[in-house]
Amino acid sequence: MTREELTELECHACPGEGSCAGLFTANTMSTAIEVMGMSLPGDASLTAVDPRKTDEARRAGETVMRMLEEGIRPRDILTREAFENAITVVVAMGGSTNAVLHLMAIAREAEVSLSLEDFDRISRNTPYIADMKPGGRYVMADLSRYGGVALIGKRLLDAGLLHGDAMTVNGKTLAENINDTPIIEDQPVIYHPDQPRSPTGGLAILRGNLAPDGAVIKVAGHQERVYEGPARVFEQEELAFQAIQRGEIKEGDIVVIRYEGPKGGPGMREMLAVTGALIGQGLGDSVALVTDGRFSGASHGPMVGHVAPEAMVGGPIGLLQEGDIITLDIPGRRLDAKLSEEEFSDRRAAWRPIEPKYTTGVLAKYAKLVSSASEGAVTG
């Protein structure tokens, strides 16, 4: 490939400067933050080179000064209702699984009680209405042309799924901001809630004997699937990637990558290389992946992350052996191994964790202090 061919490919693949174009983790979180009321209306979907950015930056500075003068603090805005609004929009758009970690960590700082059950409850009652990458066709710049986040906010608000009276940084309620924003109704990106892409939202919380404290899956597009197959067990990501590249993973396998959790990683690396390799080999819908690590927001398919307790603390995922039969039941919200409690008990008695990567320094301190992914992987 010549440099000119590479440049042409890049110019077609990337719509412009800024964050990744689809509804991946960056755009998922900027959307959530706008809906929570912590950024100005329209902020999330403006492209990096949009000339309106200059005016927005000025208004952001003015807003900060006004809030300081009036004594308005983040905790005045980050209420329980604000978090429920954010979760509703995330699941309605098929956003990143990382939103679960980030929103729980923010809620901890805001002193708002938020649990995995809140995500699953809201997702079960919220339709999936966005046709955005990675589970659809459009990107954030497309949404911006039709009204931005206010467009999906309008759909959900009219359906009675948002707390419209939640306060935002500009002094207006969420409903006022949504109704003040011009939107284009005739557009292809956001569906009507009464004619959704799916009747339930894009995230699900799983439990079972492999994830007694919970696990997270992005279910946009495959809400009703059940997967069952033999475990292909790998201690950390690189070994799994090499096996996939060698063609050793077959249709129907359940790839298990462990010791990548908050303590085991340490820090929960995202399994983007592995998920990309599976999709590249045409296995994206026929091979499930289960990990105590996390995923890039660009990942899609039957990918289960944040399995808790993690392997490093003796969680059941750390007790699996090659060939154990695993069942991933998405509609039933279950993740189980076909093992009896007696078998788990015997393996637990013989289990020893792997040697930690770091025994001194900041990462060793982090691994010692960090909590479970089911609690947002916070350190204090």
Side-chain angles (χ1 to χ4, degrees), residues 39 46 90 134 139 142 174 176 187 190 257 264 295 304 333 380:
S39 63
L46 279 184
V90 166
V139 296
D142 298 319
L174 178 66
E176 288 173 331
Q187 46 74 43
I190 304 299
I257 304 176
F295 297 113
V304 181
R333 301 295 201 263

Side-chain angles (χ1 to χ4, degrees), residues 258-259 311 314-315 318-321 342-354:
R258 60 193 183 190
Y259 293 102
L319 307 178
L320 286 173
Q321 296 176 4
E342 183 179 5
E343 288 174 299
F344 269 124
S345 182
D346 290 343
R347 293 184 186 185
R348 192 172 290 111
W351 171 81
R352 297 291 181 274
I354 65 171

Side-chain angles (χ1 to χ4, degrees), residues 101-321:
L101 287 170
H102 297 328
L103 289 174
M104 290 184 72
I106 296 169
R108 174 72 172 267
E109 291 297 316
E111 299 179 345
V112 171
S113 176
L114 199 65
S115 70
L116 292 179
E117 281 65 34
D118 293 314
F119 288 85
D120 200 62
R121 170 181 56 81
I122 292 172
S123 191
R124 285 179 183 272
N125 292 291
T126 302
Y128 171 40
I129 59 174
D131 190 4
M132 295 185 67
K133 292 181 182 292
R137 296 173 293 173
Y138 298 100
V139 296
M140 206 66 169
D142 298 319
L143 181 65
S144 184
R145 283 194 288 272
Y146 301 115
V149 173
L151 173 59
I152 191 165
K154 177 70 171 172
R155 294 275 193 269
L156 297 171
L157 186 66
D158 289 347
L161 295 170
L162 293 179
H163 302 286
D165 57 352
M167 189 54 59
T168 72
V169 290
N170 68 354
K172 296 183 178 181
T173 65
L174 178 66
E176 288 173 331
N177 285 336
I178 289 172
N179 291 323
D180 285 348
T181 304
I183 63 172
I184 298 175
E185 292 283 354
D186 185 16
Q187 46 74 43
V189 183
I190 304 299
Y191 291 45
H192 282 275
D194 56 357
Q195 294 180 310
R197 297 186 68 196
S198 170
T200 56
L203 295 177
I205 304 301
L206 311 175
R207 296 201 183 260
N209 65 12
L210 275 184
D213 290 347
V216 181
I217 184 172
K218 184 189 290 185
V219 297
H222 51 273
Q223 277 92 333
E224 301 305 317
R225 292 287 299 273
V226 176
Y227 297 82
E228 183 170 286
R232 304 297 310 279
V233 181
F234 300 94
E235 320 289 18
Q236 302 192 307
E237 179 186 15
E238 289 81 2
L239 296 175
F241 181 77
Q242 292 163 14
I244 296 168
Q245 294 294 83
R246 292 192 297 265
E248 296 174 4
I249 303 302
K250 307 299 182 184
E251 184 175 332
D253 286 344
I254 309 288
V255 175
V256 176
I257 304 176
R258 60 193 183 190
Y259 293 102
E260 290 288 9
K263 292 181 179 292
M268 296 188 79
R269 290 188 297 172
E270 60 182 33
M271 307 288 108
L272 181 58
V274 171
T275 57
L278 287 172
I279 291 171
Q281 293 196 9
L283 298 171
D285 288 324
S286 59
V287 170
L289 195 158
V290 176
T291 180
D292 52 9
R294 63 186 183 91
F295 297 113
S296 162
S299 300
H300 59 100
M303 312 293 179
V304 181
H306 313 185
V307 172
E310 63 176 292
M312 200 68 179
V313 299
I317 190 174
L319 307 178
L320 286 173
Q321 296 176 4

